Amino acid sequence: MKKKLINLVLLIMVPLVLASLAHFIWNVHISLFAGILYIILLLFNLPSGSFMSTNTDYNIKRVNPHYKAEQQQTSSLTSQSLITLAVLILLTVVSFLVYFQQIQK
């Protein structure tokens, strides 16, 4: 449980720290850069066997008709991965909302 909590805190803090560094170096908005990093983290945390992998199998099958795709294992998401995805989605939305409020001022 402690390891999962540390991973979640790192998922929250690392983009903010990197965005702060980018702000000081390149003078970009912290919330914009953090939002982009959260989107990247969200894409990397998507479960396997999603729509992206089936599209890849289709494209490979078009090129090589004798290709046999691996059997996809359907597994339900664990509560930890659901929490991680929900937190990343929430942080992405919040960071872009903060960015849009900043540029309206």
Side-chain angles (χ1 to χ4, degrees):
M1 182 67 179
K2 189 175 183 180
K3 183 179 176 183
K4 293 177 183 178
L5 187 61
I6 290 172
N7 285 340
L8 194 59
V9 168
L10 284 174
L11 276 175
I12 294 170
M13 295 304 296
V14 168
L16 291 175
V17 170
L18 291 176
S20 298
L21 286 173
H23 174 69
F24 290 124
I25 295 171
W26 295 299
N27 199 18
V28 296
H29 289 281
I30 293 175
S31 55
L32 176 66
F33 198 74
I36 292 170
L37 291 175
Y38 285 132
I39 288 174
I40 292 170
L41 284 174
L42 182 64
L43 290 176
F44 280 113
N45 280 301
L46 285 176
S48 61
S50 63
F51 65 92
M52 289 183 219
S53 64
T54 56
N55 190 24
T56 304
D57 289 343
Y58 173 72
N59 289 333
I60 292 172
K61 188 76 168 169
R62 275 192 349 192
V63 174
N64 182 5
H66 301 292
Y67 171 75
K68 292 191 179 186
E70 295 179 15
Q71 291 290 335
Q72 288 193 2
Q73 299 172 352
T74 56
S75 61
S76 62
L77 292 172
T78 63
S79 62
Q80 178 63 29
S81 60
L82 281 175
I83 291 171
T84 302
L85 288 174
V87 166
L88 286 173
I89 290 170
L90 179 71
L91 288 171
T92 302
V93 169
V94 167
S95 64
F96 282 120
L97 285 176
V98 168
Y99 171 69
F100 289 132
Q101 285 182 351
Q102 285 176 351
I103 61 172
Q104 286 180 353
K105 290 183 180 181

